[in-house]
Structures are given as structure tokens and as C-alpha cells.
Amino acid sequence: MTNMSRARVARRIAAGAAYGGGGVGLIGAAAVGLLLAEVHLARRHVGNGSGGRVPVADGVYGHAYDVPGEPPLRLTMLGDSTAAGQGVHRSGQTPGALLASGLAAVAERPVHLRNVASPGAQSDDLDRQVALVLSASTPVPDVCVIMIGANDVTHRMPPTRSVRHLSAAVRRLRTAGAEVVVGTCPDLGTIEPVQQPLRWLARRASRQLAAAQTIGAVEQGGRTVSLGDLLGPEFEANPRELFGPDNYHPSAEGYATAAMAVLPTVCAALGLWPAEEERPDVTRREGFLPVARAAAEAASEAGTEVTAAMPTGPRGPWALLKRRRRRRVPEAEPARPSV
């Protein structure tokens, strides 16, 4: 599918989410029976993201940057098993811990991490997670990172419904004053036990949803980072290195790769990225595009950021597409327990 075709589909899904539609499908009806049969076989080999122990990584990172009287930055993770860090054994290997350590190093300030992500979650669980984040007993985070979408595809949640829940979550968090970065749906066509034709269908569905998520999140004031190709060529070429023991969740190296892609956007959202890198670089194919086209391009290339730019134009809202230079994520230190 071309980027222009993906842009049209993403626009339709996002419009359906905004106006209450539910009939836009990710794949053709003729493929549904085949897909279900293949999913049944694949599930014998991989989990669905809902089992296994998840390391607890909540706490304060960056102790070396403590300044008396200055509170730490607050980072909150929301989403599914990928946001939670399922598949690794140590808290420091989870994406939340890696992001907190990286953010502390860039900001030269401690970072308090809270993770409310739930293994097995679909996008409709974001309503509950956001309520936890915005409860009166805790301060509003400075930045929230949401990773969700894979279970929506495998459980055949209507994409308009999926995007509607994500958009509502971004809107509530932004209204409360938090910056929001969404790691969009990963490419499920790279899970090793999954065979053709499910592999092709899963890749197509994943990228269509990722593009639609981008439109929905950006229109509500969030930023997105494509994770698709991180779970694409790199994972496909190195499944033993980049997938965990269950061949479904990323390994420690895989989570580090994802955190390295998301960290620059988290820093940029908080005004911590170098000013000279905020300008679009035409040599890196960066620039202002209609939001649907930017979303489609981002879904095809990992680590690509999309953020709102001009409110509207002849072809609807516009967005800035950035291919940020990735910086090494520092190894996560043990967290100081929350108080």
C-alpha cells in the first residue's frame, strides 16, 4: 500500500473516530476468515500480552542531579504490555526506566517515574489509566508516554473505536497540563511464529492503525513517534537478539531501541532538545505536510515524529514531520522508591 493510500485510509478512520462512526475496517471482509484461522494457529505459539511478571520500575531516577527544593520531573507511562515492560526481568530494562534515566541525563534533573500501563490492555483501558493518572492525590505529570495498539489489532477492535479512545486520552491529559507522546502501534507482521498470509495482513493492519493513531493524537495536541519499523527490519533481522524468550515481547535490547527512538521526542516536548534541531532539515526529508500524509509517512519509518504545526490549510490540519537524531539512552540506575 502506498503512503497516499494509507493516508486516505487513516483519514477515514480518524474521521470515523471523531464523528462516532464504526464501520471502517482495517482489512477487507474477504480476508477476515483467513485471518481468524491464522490467528488461532499463531496464538498457540505466542502470547497475547496479558501474562507473565512485569518488573516494577516506579521511583526516582537521576539521583546525581538532586537539588534541594527543586522537585523532579514527572514521567508517566500508559498503555499495554510494551509500555509496562513485559518480557524483561529487571526494572532497569523496562522502557519507562530507560526513558526516565535518559530524560534525567538530558535535563540534568531527577525524574520521578510512574507506570500505570497494563499488560493485555486495549485502547479502551486508557479511560481507566488516565483516571488513575489524574487522580487528585497525585500531581499532574510533566509528560506522559502512551504505547498501545497491538492488542487492538489482534483482538479486532474497530479502528475507529481504538482511535477514539486514544484521542480522548490525549485530550484529557493535555487539558490537565501534561505533554503527551504516543508510541504508535508496532508492526505485528514481524512476530517470528506468525506466517503468511497473516504476516502481511498484520503488517498492513498495524500500519493503518498507526497512521490513524497519529492523526487522532496530533489533532488533540500530542506528539507521536512511529515504532513500526523498530519492530520491523531490525527485529525481523535479529529475532533472537531483539525479541524476548516468548518471541512476542521485546527483549532488553529491543526496549532500549524503542526508548532511544522515543527519548528525543519526550525531550523536545519539554523544551529540552537543542534549538537548532527544532528546525526542519530538508536533507533528512523533514518538513510541513498535511497531517494525514505525515501520519502515513511516519507509519512507514521508525523513529519518525509527527507534531501539530499550522491549525488548518486547504487540505486540512498540517503537521511537522521530524526524523530526529537518536541519542544513546543511558543504562537505567536502580530507582529510589517513591515516597
Side-chain angles (χ1 to χ4, degrees):
M1 176 179 286
T2 66
N3 282 342
M4 291 303 294
S5 298
R6 188 175 293 120
R8 285 193 295 270
V9 173
R11 230 181 352 247
R12 288 168 54 213
I13 293 171
Y19 297 107
V24 181
L26 286 171
I27 55 176
V32 170
L34 178 60
L35 176 59
L36 290 176
E38 290 286 342
V39 165
H40 179 73
L41 291 174
R43 280 181 177 167
R44 296 179 181 178
H45 300 283
V46 300
N48 63 2
S50 60
R53 174 185 171 274
V54 178
V56 177
D58 291 18
V60 178
Y61 295 78
H63 312 312
Y65 305 110
D66 276 328
V67 175
E70 183 177 358
L73 290 170
R74 292 188 173 271
L75 164 67
T76 297
M77 302 290 295
L78 304 89
D80 56 22
S81 56
T82 304
Q86 187 170 350
V88 294
H89 300 294
R90 298 198 300 273
S91 60
Q93 297 172 326
T94 63
L98 293 166
L99 284 172
S101 293
L103 179 57
V106 173
E108 297 187 344
R109 185 174 167 186
V111 174
H112 180 276
L113 171 67
R114 184 185 182 198
N115 198 323
V116 300
S118 178
Q122 299 176 53
S123 290
D124 54 6
D125 191 54
L126 289 175
D127 301 348
R128 180 190 65 82
Q129 294 182 28
V130 170
L132 287 174
V133 174
L134 300 182
S135 64
S137 61
T138 58
V140 174
D142 294 288
V143 61
C144 295
V145 174
I146 304 174
M147 296 180 178
I148 203 147
N151 295 319
D152 296 12
V153 174
T154 60
H155 290 79
R156 299 179 61 233
M157 176 182 285
T160 49
R161 182 181 168 203
S162 175
V163 174
R164 190 180 306 129
H165 283 292
L166 176 61
S167 298
V170 174
R171 180 171 61 251
R172 290 172 64 192
L173 293 169
R174 292 290 292 129
T175 299
E179 296 292 338
V180 181
V181 175
V182 178
T184 55
C185 183
D187 185 350
L188 297 178
T190 60
I191 298 173
E192 193 178 32
V194 176
Q195 302 300 318
Q196 297 291 12
L198 176 60
R199 183 182 292 264
W200 178 85
L201 294 171
R203 170 165 291 143
R204 180 183 176 193
S206 302
R207 292 189 175 184
Q208 286 181 0
L209 179 57
Q213 286 177 317
T214 297
I215 296 174
V218 167
E219 288 183 344
Q220 299 302 326
R223 301 180 184 225
T224 64
V225 179
S226 168
L227 299 182
D229 276 355
L230 292 177
L231 300 176
E234 294 181 47
F235 279 24
E236 198 166 27
N238 303 289
R240 294 289 177 260
E241 178 182 352
L242 289 173
F243 276 121
D246 60 3
N247 290 328
Y248 186 90
H249 295 98
S251 65
E253 291 82 0
Y255 280 129
T257 301
M260 184 172 64
V262 174
L263 178 62
T265 300
V266 170
C267 293
L270 294 171
L272 300 172
W273 211 239
E276 63 271 16
E277 292 192 21
E278 292 303 295
R279 293 185 293 271
D281 184 344
V282 294
T283 65
R284 293 165 58 83
R285 295 178 293 115
E286 298 178 344
F288 297 96
L289 297 168
V291 66
R293 183 176 161 196
E297 291 202 14
S300 301
E301 184 172 341
T304 304
E305 175 191 318
V306 180
T307 187
M310 296 168 278
T312 189
R315 288 178 284 178
W318 284 62
L320 174 60
L321 184 145
K322 294 279 294 179
R323 295 176 171 88
R324 294 190 182 275
R325 295 173 177 85
R326 301 180 195 173
R327 295 193 175 184
R328 180 181 175 275
V329 178
E331 183 175 343
E333 60 178 276
R336 180 179 299 167
S338 304
V339 293

